[in-house]
Amino acid sequence: MTIVTIGLDLAKNVFQAHGVDEEGNAVLAKKLHRKQMLPFFSKLSPCLIGVEACGTAHYWARTLAAMGHEVRLIPPAYVKAYVKRGKSDALDAEAICEAVQRPTMRFVPTKTVEQQGILMTHRARSLLVRQRTMLANALRAHLAVLGLVANPGIANLAKLAEQAMADKDALPPYARSALEILIRQIMTINSEVAALDQQLIAWHAASEASRRLAAIPGLGIITATAIAATVTDPDQFRSGRQFAAWLGLTPQQHSTGGKTRLGGISKQGDRYLRRLLVVGATAVMRHVKDKPTPMADWIRKLSEKKPFRLVSVALANKLARIAWVVLTRKETYHPYAHLA
């Protein structure tokens, strides 16, 4: 029995492997528990292993590659077409084995431990910021119930809460104790977010790609480090448009019969990166209104015909293309070098 290709369906504890030989005949259909994974693949001759790109896929890709195997990660959406019928681990493993052999299949580059670590920092920061927003909204709502209202903004809310706590007669005893808990939680999260920001700043200073990306308008340290850690190999994209499409920033097509129909953006890429780019593009739009630059002229002309949010998404698309050029050419961002 010579196994050439294996489709591996990952799970928490029970894994399923499906292997074929050189002629495509099924020669392996095996269920493996977690403790059996390393002994089984360490004894196996080097072969091609296909894995769906999921939470633990990068760890297993690094581990199996260290044993001499060639591991390729496949987006789960591209595997679904090869599932013949029904849903089981064995059918999924067979579909992965079939998909990994296709010559036109697209694969996900394996991330290093360092890249996954910095992305964990991003995810943790995003979660804390979301929790802080929830706490701030709850505090604002509770104060409004008592007739204490502040202007929008976390700074104005902090001033209002400080004034309310300073006045002993402004709040009932039970309300005071409840609001003190919310305020302590907000302060704790603020300190934790600040600590994560310092880690991102340190990684940014050590990453050449991140420093080049940060020079692009709308891409601060947060967005630059996120792109640099996520995009392990920019050459996997043929063009900046393909990179923008990977992020879900291009229109979704419904074309047939030679007639092109474009809808809204596909939103099929990395939601976190797409949100950062759109937020950065929105900030650029608000700060370049009166500046005499080509980008500002482009924004003004498009804003005359299109809604604000549509323009911000279009600008995010443009920023994504610029980021791809900066990553592939490994050059510093010079926006108006051709005009010199």
Side-chain angles (χ1 to χ4, degrees):
M1 182 178 67
T2 303
I3 300 175
V4 176
T5 306
I6 291 180
L8 181 62
D9 183 51
L10 298 181
K12 294 180 180 178
N13 296 310
V14 180
F15 303 78
Q16 182 72 36
H18 180 91
V20 298
D21 57 16
E22 294 181 354
E23 297 179 356
N25 299 318
V27 294
L28 173 69
K30 187 175 182 63
K31 184 180 294 185
L32 299 167
H33 290 271
R34 176 173 290 272
K35 61 182 180 181
Q36 298 174 315
M37 285 284 289
L38 297 182
F40 176 78
F41 283 100
S42 62
K43 298 176 182 178
L44 202 64
S45 300
C47 59
L48 173 64
I49 301 177
V51 180
E52 282 186 331
C54 60
T56 59
H58 295 276
Y59 161 76
W60 286 111
R62 293 192 299 266
T63 302
L64 297 177
M67 298 178 182
H69 301 288
E70 181 183 358
V71 185
R72 295 179 180 177
L73 306 184
I74 312 172
Y78 295 166
V79 176
K80 188 176 181 180
Y82 295 93
V83 179
K84 294 182 176 64
R85 178 179 292 183
K87 173 69 175 74
S88 69
D89 293 344
L91 292 173
D92 290 344
E94 182 182 359
I96 295 171
C97 184
E98 180 70 22
V100 75
Q101 300 178 72
R102 298 303 95 201
T104 59
M105 181 56 62
R106 298 177 183 175
F107 302 103
V108 178
T110 303
K111 291 182 174 61
T112 64
V113 176
E114 180 187 6
Q115 289 170 328
Q116 287 195 296
I118 198 65
L119 288 177
M120 288 180 190
T121 304
H122 274 278
R123 303 306 184 194
R125 183 186 182 278
S126 178
L127 174 61
L128 292 177
V129 169
R130 187 163 61 251
Q131 292 177 342
R132 182 178 62 184
T133 302
M134 295 169 62
L135 290 168
N137 289 339
L139 178 61
R140 184 183 295 276
H142 293 324
L143 290 173
V145 168
L146 301 174
L148 303 174
V149 181
N151 292 328
I154 191 70
N156 295 323
L157 178 61
K159 292 179 182 179
L160 177 63
E162 184 178 357
Q163 294 173 1
M165 291 299 172
D167 188 357
K168 296 182 179 180
D169 299 328
L171 300 173
Y174 292 113
R176 179 180 293 274
S177 61
L179 296 180
E180 284 177 348
I181 293 174
L182 293 180
I183 293 173
R184 284 199 302 270
Q185 291 293 323
I186 293 174
M187 294 176 63
T188 301
I189 291 180
N190 276 336
S191 62
E192 298 294 346
V193 170
L196 293 177
D197 286 341
Q198 291 301 317
Q199 295 181 16
L200 293 177
I201 291 173
W203 192 85
H204 169 76
S207 173
E208 182 182 356
S210 181
R211 293 197 305 271
R212 290 197 305 268
L213 289 170
I216 302 173
L219 272 66
I221 292 178
I222 301 298
T223 308
T225 53
I227 294 177
T230 303
V231 185
T232 56
D233 182 18
D235 292 328
Q236 65 178 309
F237 305 103
R238 295 192 301 270
S239 63
R241 188 189 186 285
Q242 191 181 55
F243 177 59
W246 179 73
L247 291 172
L249 288 169
T250 53
Q252 194 167 13
Q253 287 201 35
H254 301 279
S255 305
T256 183
K259 185 177 295 185
T260 302
R261 295 185 179 90
L262 299 179
I265 60 173
S266 65
K267 298 184 180 180
Q268 293 181 347
D270 191 308
R271 181 181 302 177
Y272 181 67
L273 286 182
R274 185 170 60 251
R275 175 163 58 85
L276 290 178
L277 285 169
V278 172
V279 170
T282 303
V284 171
M285 290 178 60
R286 290 174 176 169
H287 287 85
V288 301
K289 289 183 178 179
D290 301 326
K291 293 185 178 180
T293 61
M295 180 176 288
D297 294 338
W298 179 83
I299 293 173
R300 282 192 290 268
K301 290 180 181 179
L302 193 59
S303 299
E304 293 174 357
K305 302 179 290 184
K306 301 296 181 180
F308 181 88
R309 181 52 63 198
L310 190 149
V311 178
S312 66
V313 174
L315 180 57
N317 183 303
K318 181 184 286 291
L319 296 179
R321 297 187 185 204
I322 296 174
W324 177 81
V325 173
V326 169
L327 288 174
T328 52
R329 296 182 183 178
K330 298 181 180 180
E331 298 176 354
T332 306
Y333 175 65
H334 296 294
Y336 312 119
H338 64 285
L339 301 178

Short mmCIF file of all heavy atoms in Angstrom, two decimals, residues 14-65:
data_model
loop_
_atom_site.label_atom_id
_atom_site.label_comp_id
_atom_site.label_asym_id
_atom_site.label_seq_id
_atom_site.Cartn_x
_atom_site.Cartn_y
_atom_site.Cartn_z
N VAL A 14 -11.46 13.57 17.62
CA VAL A 14 -11.51 12.45 16.67
C VAL A 14 -11.31 12.98 15.26
O VAL A 14 -12.09 13.80 14.77
CB VAL A 14 -12.86 11.70 16.78
CG1 VAL A 14 -12.88 10.53 15.80
CG2 VAL A 14 -13.09 11.21 18.19
N PHE A 15 -10.24 12.52 14.60
CA PHE A 15 -9.88 12.96 13.26
C PHE A 15 -10.17 11.83 12.27
O PHE A 15 -10.19 10.66 12.63
CB PHE A 15 -8.40 13.33 13.19
CG PHE A 15 -7.99 14.39 14.18
CD1 PHE A 15 -7.79 14.08 15.52
CD2 PHE A 15 -7.79 15.70 13.78
CE1 PHE A 15 -7.42 15.05 16.43
CE2 PHE A 15 -7.43 16.67 14.68
CZ PHE A 15 -7.24 16.35 16.01
N GLN A 16 -10.38 12.22 11.01
CA GLN A 16 -10.66 11.23 9.96
C GLN A 16 -9.68 11.44 8.82
O GLN A 16 -9.50 12.56 8.33
CB GLN A 16 -12.09 11.39 9.45
CG GLN A 16 -12.49 10.37 8.40
CD GLN A 16 -12.68 8.98 8.98
OE1 GLN A 16 -13.16 8.83 10.10
NE2 GLN A 16 -12.31 7.95 8.23
N ALA A 17 -9.04 10.35 8.39
CA ALA A 17 -8.07 10.40 7.29
C ALA A 17 -8.57 9.54 6.14
O ALA A 17 -9.08 8.43 6.35
CB ALA A 17 -6.70 9.93 7.75
N HIS A 18 -8.40 10.07 4.92
CA HIS A 18 -8.76 9.33 3.70
C HIS A 18 -7.57 9.42 2.75
O HIS A 18 -7.15 10.51 2.36
CB HIS A 18 -10.00 9.92 3.04
CG HIS A 18 -10.42 9.21 1.80
ND1 HIS A 18 -11.33 8.17 1.81
CD2 HIS A 18 -10.06 9.39 0.49
CE1 HIS A 18 -11.51 7.74 0.58
NE2 HIS A 18 -10.76 8.45 -0.24
N GLY A 19 -7.00 8.27 2.37
CA GLY A 19 -5.82 8.24 1.53
C GLY A 19 -6.04 7.52 0.23
O GLY A 19 -6.84 6.58 0.15
N VAL A 20 -5.31 7.95 -0.82
CA VAL A 20 -5.39 7.32 -2.13
C VAL A 20 -3.97 7.05 -2.62
O VAL A 20 -3.00 7.67 -2.17
CB VAL A 20 -6.15 8.20 -3.15
CG1 VAL A 20 -7.59 8.43 -2.70
CG2 VAL A 20 -5.44 9.55 -3.33
N ASP A 21 -3.86 6.11 -3.59
CA ASP A 21 -2.56 5.79 -4.17
C ASP A 21 -2.35 6.60 -5.44
O ASP A 21 -3.11 7.53 -5.75
CB ASP A 21 -2.45 4.29 -4.45
CG ASP A 21 -3.57 3.79 -5.36
OD1 ASP A 21 -4.23 4.64 -6.01
OD2 ASP A 21 -3.76 2.57 -5.45
N GLU A 22 -1.32 6.26 -6.21
CA GLU A 22 -0.98 7.01 -7.41
C GLU A 22 -2.08 6.98 -8.46
O GLU A 22 -2.23 7.91 -9.25
CB GLU A 22 0.32 6.47 -8.01
CG GLU A 22 1.53 6.68 -7.11
CD GLU A 22 2.80 6.15 -7.75
OE1 GLU A 22 2.69 5.53 -8.83
OE2 GLU A 22 3.89 6.36 -7.19
N GLU A 23 -2.87 5.92 -8.48
CA GLU A 23 -3.94 5.79 -9.46
C GLU A 23 -5.26 6.36 -8.97
O GLU A 23 -6.26 6.31 -9.68
CB GLU A 23 -4.12 4.31 -9.83
CG GLU A 23 -2.88 3.70 -10.48
CD GLU A 23 -3.08 2.23 -10.81
OE1 GLU A 23 -4.16 1.70 -10.45
OE2 GLU A 23 -2.18 1.63 -11.43
N GLY A 24 -5.28 6.91 -7.77
CA GLY A 24 -6.50 7.49 -7.23
C GLY A 24 -7.41 6.52 -6.52
O GLY A 24 -8.54 6.88 -6.17
N ASN A 25 -6.93 5.29 -6.29
CA ASN A 25 -7.75 4.30 -5.59
C ASN A 25 -7.66 4.52 -4.09
O ASN A 25 -6.58 4.79 -3.55
CB ASN A 25 -7.27 2.88 -5.92
CG ASN A 25 -7.38 2.57 -7.39
OD1 ASN A 25 -8.37 2.92 -8.04
ND2 ASN A 25 -6.36 1.92 -7.95
N ALA A 26 -8.79 4.42 -3.41
CA ALA A 26 -8.82 4.61 -1.97
C ALA A 26 -8.13 3.44 -1.27
O ALA A 26 -8.51 2.28 -1.46
CB ALA A 26 -10.26 4.73 -1.50
N VAL A 27 -7.10 3.74 -0.49
CA VAL A 27 -6.35 2.70 0.22
C VAL A 27 -6.33 2.95 1.72
O VAL A 27 -5.76 2.15 2.47
CB VAL A 27 -4.90 2.62 -0.31
CG1 VAL A 27 -4.89 2.15 -1.75
CG2 VAL A 27 -4.21 3.97 -0.18
N LEU A 28 -6.93 4.03 2.15
CA LEU A 28 -6.94 4.34 3.58
C LEU A 28 -8.23 5.06 3.94
O LEU A 28 -8.62 6.04 3.29
CB LEU A 28 -5.73 5.23 3.94
CG LEU A 28 -5.70 5.76 5.38
CD1 LEU A 28 -5.44 4.61 6.36
CD2 LEU A 28 -4.64 6.84 5.54
N ALA A 29 -8.88 4.58 4.98
CA ALA A 29 -10.03 5.25 5.58
C ALA A 29 -9.96 4.95 7.07
O ALA A 29 -10.40 3.90 7.53
CB ALA A 29 -11.35 4.76 4.99
N LYS A 30 -9.37 5.88 7.79
CA LYS A 30 -9.03 5.59 9.19
C LYS A 30 -9.47 6.71 10.10
O LYS A 30 -9.30 7.89 9.79
CB LYS A 30 -7.51 5.38 9.32
CG LYS A 30 -7.05 4.90 10.68
CD LYS A 30 -5.57 4.62 10.67
CE LYS A 30 -5.10 4.08 12.02
NZ LYS A 30 -5.72 2.79 12.35
N LYS A 31 -10.03 6.33 11.25
CA LYS A 31 -10.40 7.28 12.28
C LYS A 31 -9.27 7.33 13.31
O LYS A 31 -8.81 6.29 13.79
CB LYS A 31 -11.71 6.86 12.94
CG LYS A 31 -12.25 7.85 13.97
CD LYS A 31 -13.55 7.35 14.57
CE LYS A 31 -14.64 7.30 13.53
NZ LYS A 31 -15.95 6.93 14.13
N LEU A 32 -8.83 8.52 13.63
CA LEU A 32 -7.69 8.70 14.52
C LEU A 32 -8.09 9.58 15.70
O LEU A 32 -8.69 10.63 15.51
CB LEU A 32 -6.52 9.35 13.79
CG LEU A 32 -5.93 8.60 12.59
CD1 LEU A 32 -5.02 9.52 11.80
CD2 LEU A 32 -5.16 7.38 13.08
N HIS A 33 -7.73 9.13 16.89
CA HIS A 33 -7.89 9.98 18.06
C HIS A 33 -6.67 10.91 18.17
O HIS A 33 -5.63 10.66 17.54
CB HIS A 33 -8.05 9.14 19.32
CG HIS A 33 -9.36 8.42 19.38
ND1 HIS A 33 -10.49 8.97 19.94
CD2 HIS A 33 -9.72 7.19 18.93
CE1 HIS A 33 -11.49 8.12 19.84
NE2 HIS A 33 -11.06 7.03 19.23
N ARG A 34 -6.79 11.95 18.94
CA ARG A 34 -5.72 12.95 19.01
C ARG A 34 -4.38 12.33 19.38
O ARG A 34 -3.35 12.66 18.80
CB ARG A 34 -6.11 14.03 20.02
CG ARG A 34 -5.05 15.09 20.26
CD ARG A 34 -5.56 16.19 21.13
NE ARG A 34 -6.54 17.00 20.41
CZ ARG A 34 -6.23 18.04 19.65
NH1 ARG A 34 -4.97 18.39 19.48
NH2 ARG A 34 -7.16 18.72 19.02
N LYS A 35 -4.36 11.42 20.34
CA LYS A 35 -3.10 10.82 20.78
C LYS A 35 -2.51 9.89 19.72
O LYS A 35 -1.32 9.52 19.81
CB LYS A 35 -3.30 10.07 22.08
CG LYS A 35 -4.29 8.92 21.99
CD LYS A 35 -4.47 8.24 23.34
CE LYS A 35 -5.47 7.09 23.25
NZ LYS A 35 -5.66 6.44 24.57
N GLN A 36 -3.30 9.50 18.70
CA GLN A 36 -2.79 8.62 17.65
C GLN A 36 -2.23 9.39 16.45
O GLN A 36 -1.60 8.79 15.59
CB GLN A 36 -3.92 7.71 17.15
CG GLN A 36 -4.49 6.78 18.21
CD GLN A 36 -5.68 6.00 17.70
OE1 GLN A 36 -6.57 6.57 17.05
NE2 GLN A 36 -5.71 4.69 17.96
N MET A 37 -2.48 10.69 16.39
CA MET A 37 -2.10 11.47 15.21
C MET A 37 -0.59 11.46 14.97
O MET A 37 -0.12 11.11 13.87
CB MET A 37 -2.61 12.89 15.37
CG MET A 37 -4.10 13.05 15.17
SD MET A 37 -4.56 12.97 13.43
CE MET A 37 -3.90 14.52 12.85
N LEU A 38 0.18 11.86 15.95
CA LEU A 38 1.63 11.97 15.76
C LEU A 38 2.28 10.61 15.49
O LEU A 38 3.10 10.50 14.56
CB LEU A 38 2.27 12.65 16.97
CG LEU A 38 1.82 14.09 17.24
CD1 LEU A 38 2.55 14.67 18.43
CD2 LEU A 38 2.06 14.95 16.00
N PRO A 39 1.97 9.54 16.25
CA PRO A 39 2.57 8.24 15.92
C PRO A 39 2.21 7.75 14.52
O PRO A 39 3.06 7.18 13.82
CB PRO A 39 2.00 7.31 17.00
CG PRO A 39 1.66 8.20 18.14
CD PRO A 39 1.20 9.47 17.51
N PHE A 40 0.96 7.96 14.09
CA PHE A 40 0.54 7.47 12.78
C PHE A 40 1.29 8.18 11.65
O PHE A 40 1.84 7.53 10.75
CB PHE A 40 -0.97 7.67 12.61
CG PHE A 40 -1.49 7.28 11.26
CD1 PHE A 40 -1.69 5.95 10.93
CD2 PHE A 40 -1.76 8.25 10.30
CE1 PHE A 40 -2.17 5.59 9.68
CE2 PHE A 40 -2.24 7.89 9.05
CZ PHE A 40 -2.44 6.56 8.74
N PHE A 41 1.33 9.51 11.67
CA PHE A 41 1.93 10.25 10.56
C PHE A 41 3.46 10.21 10.63
O PHE A 41 4.12 10.40 9.60
CB PHE A 41 1.44 11.69 10.56
CG PHE A 41 0.05 11.84 10.00
CD1 PHE A 41 -1.04 11.98 10.84
CD2 PHE A 41 -0.17 11.82 8.64
CE1 PHE A 41 -2.32 12.11 10.34
CE2 PHE A 41 -1.45 11.95 8.12
CZ PHE A 41 -2.53 12.08 8.97
N SER A 42 4.04 9.98 11.79
CA SER A 42 5.50 9.87 11.88
C SER A 42 6.00 8.59 11.22
O SER A 42 7.13 8.55 10.71
CB SER A 42 5.94 9.92 13.34
OG SER A 42 5.40 8.83 14.06
N LYS A 43 5.18 7.55 11.20
CA LYS A 43 5.57 6.29 10.57
C LYS A 43 5.22 6.25 9.08
O LYS A 43 5.67 5.35 8.37
CB LYS A 43 4.88 5.12 11.28
CG LYS A 43 5.27 4.97 12.75
CD LYS A 43 4.48 3.85 13.40
CE LYS A 43 4.82 3.72 14.88
NZ LYS A 43 4.02 2.66 15.54
N LEU A 44 4.44 7.21 8.63
CA LEU A 44 3.97 7.22 7.24
C LEU A 44 5.03 7.84 6.32
O LEU A 44 5.72 8.79 6.70
CB LEU A 44 2.67 8.03 7.14
CG LEU A 44 1.76 7.76 5.95
CD1 LEU A 44 1.24 6.33 6.00
CD2 LEU A 44 0.59 8.75 5.98
N SER A 45 5.15 7.30 5.13
CA SER A 45 6.08 7.88 4.15
C SER A 45 5.61 9.27 3.75
O SER A 45 4.40 9.55 3.74
CB SER A 45 6.16 6.99 2.90
OG SER A 45 6.61 5.69 3.25
N PRO A 46 6.53 10.17 3.41
CA PRO A 46 6.13 11.54 3.04
C PRO A 46 5.10 11.54 1.91
O PRO A 46 5.26 10.86 0.90
CB PRO A 46 7.45 12.18 2.60
CG PRO A 46 8.50 11.43 3.34
CD PRO A 46 7.99 10.01 3.42
N CYS A 47 4.04 12.31 2.10
CA CYS A 47 2.97 12.37 1.11
C CYS A 47 2.32 13.75 1.16
O CYS A 47 2.68 14.59 1.99
CB CYS A 47 1.92 11.28 1.37
SG CYS A 47 1.15 11.38 2.99
N LEU A 48 1.38 13.97 0.26
CA LEU A 48 0.63 15.22 0.22
C LEU A 48 -0.58 15.11 1.13
O LEU A 48 -1.37 14.18 1.00
CB LEU A 48 0.20 15.52 -1.22
CG LEU A 48 -0.74 16.70 -1.43
CD1 LEU A 48 -0.07 18.01 -1.02
CD2 LEU A 48 -1.22 16.77 -2.87
N ILE A 49 -0.74 16.07 2.04
CA ILE A 49 -1.85 16.05 2.99
C ILE A 49 -2.66 17.32 2.81
O ILE A 49 -2.13 18.43 2.87
CB ILE A 49 -1.34 15.95 4.44
CG1 ILE A 49 -0.51 14.69 4.63
CG2 ILE A 49 -2.51 15.98 5.42
CD1 ILE A 49 0.10 14.55 6.02
N GLY A 50 -3.94 17.15 2.56
CA GLY A 50 -4.85 18.28 2.44
C GLY A 50 -5.65 18.46 3.72
O GLY A 50 -6.15 17.49 4.30
N VAL A 51 -5.77 19.71 4.15
CA VAL A 51 -6.47 20.03 5.40
C VAL A 51 -7.31 21.28 5.17
O VAL A 51 -6.88 22.21 4.48
CB VAL A 51 -5.47 20.29 6.56
CG1 VAL A 51 -6.22 20.61 7.84
CG2 VAL A 51 -4.56 19.09 6.76
N GLU A 52 -8.52 21.29 5.70
CA GLU A 52 -9.33 22.50 5.65
C GLU A 52 -8.73 23.56 6.58
O GLU A 52 -8.31 23.24 7.69
CB GLU A 52 -10.77 22.20 6.08
CG GLU A 52 -11.61 21.55 5.01
CD GLU A 52 -13.06 21.42 5.42
OE1 GLU A 52 -13.33 21.31 6.63
OE2 GLU A 52 -13.93 21.42 4.54
N ALA A 53 -8.69 24.80 6.10
CA ALA A 53 -8.15 25.90 6.90
C ALA A 53 -9.14 26.26 7.99
O ALA A 53 -10.19 26.86 7.74
CB ALA A 53 -7.87 27.11 6.01
N CYS A 54 -8.82 25.87 9.23
CA CYS A 54 -9.68 26.15 10.37
C CYS A 54 -8.81 26.58 11.55
O CYS A 54 -7.63 26.90 11.38
CB CYS A 54 -10.53 24.93 10.72
SG CYS A 54 -9.55 23.48 11.14
N GLY A 55 -9.38 26.59 12.74
CA GLY A 55 -8.68 27.12 13.90
C GLY A 55 -7.35 26.44 14.20
O GLY A 55 -6.36 27.10 14.49
N THR A 56 -7.28 25.11 14.14
CA THR A 56 -6.06 24.39 14.49
C THR A 56 -5.26 23.94 13.27
O THR A 56 -4.28 23.22 13.41
CB THR A 56 -6.41 23.15 15.34
OG1 THR A 56 -7.29 22.29 14.59
CG2 THR A 56 -7.12 23.56 16.62
N ALA A 57 -5.69 24.34 12.07
CA ALA A 57 -5.07 23.82 10.85
C ALA A 57 -3.61 24.24 10.73
O ALA A 57 -2.77 23.46 10.29
CB ALA A 57 -5.85 24.32 9.62
N HIS A 58 -3.28 25.47 11.12
CA HIS A 58 -1.91 25.95 10.97
C HIS A 58 -0.96 25.18 11.91
O HIS A 58 0.19 24.90 11.55
CB HIS A 58 -1.84 27.45 11.24
CG HIS A 58 -2.59 28.27 10.24
ND1 HIS A 58 -2.03 28.66 9.04
CD2 HIS A 58 -3.85 28.75 10.23
CE1 HIS A 58 -2.92 29.36 8.35
NE2 HIS A 58 -4.03 29.43 9.05
N TYR A 59 -1.45 24.85 13.11
CA TYR A 59 -0.62 24.06 14.03
C TYR A 59 -0.32 22.70 13.43
O TYR A 59 0.83 22.24 13.42
CB TYR A 59 -1.33 23.91 15.38
CG TYR A 59 -0.78 22.77 16.21
CD1 TYR A 59 0.43 22.89 16.87
CD2 TYR A 59 -1.46 21.55 16.30
CE1 TYR A 59 0.95 21.84 17.61
CE2 TYR A 59 -0.96 20.50 17.03
CZ TYR A 59 0.25 20.66 17.70
OH TYR A 59 0.77 19.61 18.42
N TRP A 60 -1.35 22.02 12.93
CA TRP A 60 -1.13 20.69 12.36
C TRP A 60 -0.32 20.76 11.08
O TRP A 60 0.47 19.85 10.79
CB TRP A 60 -2.48 20.01 12.10
CG TRP A 60 -3.16 19.54 13.34
CD1 TRP A 60 -4.30 20.02 13.91
CD2 TRP A 60 -2.70 18.47 14.20
NE1 TRP A 60 -4.59 19.33 15.06
CE2 TRP A 60 -3.63 18.37 15.26
CE3 TRP A 60 -1.61 17.61 14.18
CZ2 TRP A 60 -3.50 17.44 16.28
CZ3 TRP A 60 -1.48 16.68 15.20
CH2 TRP A 60 -2.41 16.60 16.24
N ALA A 61 -0.47 21.84 10.32
CA ALA A 61 0.34 21.99 9.10
C ALA A 61 1.82 22.09 9.45
O ALA A 61 2.67 21.45 8.81
CB ALA A 61 -0.11 23.22 8.33
N ARG A 62 2.14 22.88 10.47
CA ARG A 62 3.55 23.00 10.88
C ARG A 62 4.07 21.68 11.43
O ARG A 62 5.21 21.27 11.16
CB ARG A 62 3.69 24.11 11.93
CG ARG A 62 3.42 25.51 11.41
CD ARG A 62 3.86 26.54 12.42
NE ARG A 62 3.12 26.40 13.68
CZ ARG A 62 2.01 27.09 13.99
NH1 ARG A 62 1.51 27.95 13.11
NH2 ARG A 62 1.41 26.93 15.15
N THR A 63 3.23 20.99 12.22
CA THR A 63 3.67 19.74 12.85
C THR A 63 3.90 18.65 11.81
O THR A 63 4.93 17.95 11.84
CB THR A 63 2.61 19.28 13.87
OG1 THR A 63 2.41 20.31 14.83
CG2 THR A 63 3.06 18.01 14.56
N LEU A 64 2.97 18.50 10.88
CA LEU A 64 3.11 17.45 9.87
C LEU A 64 4.21 17.78 8.86
O LEU A 64 4.89 16.89 8.36
CB LEU A 64 1.77 17.25 9.14
CG LEU A 64 0.61 16.75 10.02
CD1 LEU A 64 -0.67 16.67 9.21
CD2 LEU A 64 0.94 15.40 10.64
N ALA A 65 4.39 19.07 8.56
CA ALA A 65 5.47 19.45 7.65
C ALA A 65 6.83 19.14 8.27
O ALA A 65 7.78 18.79 7.54
CB ALA A 65 5.36 20.93 7.31
#
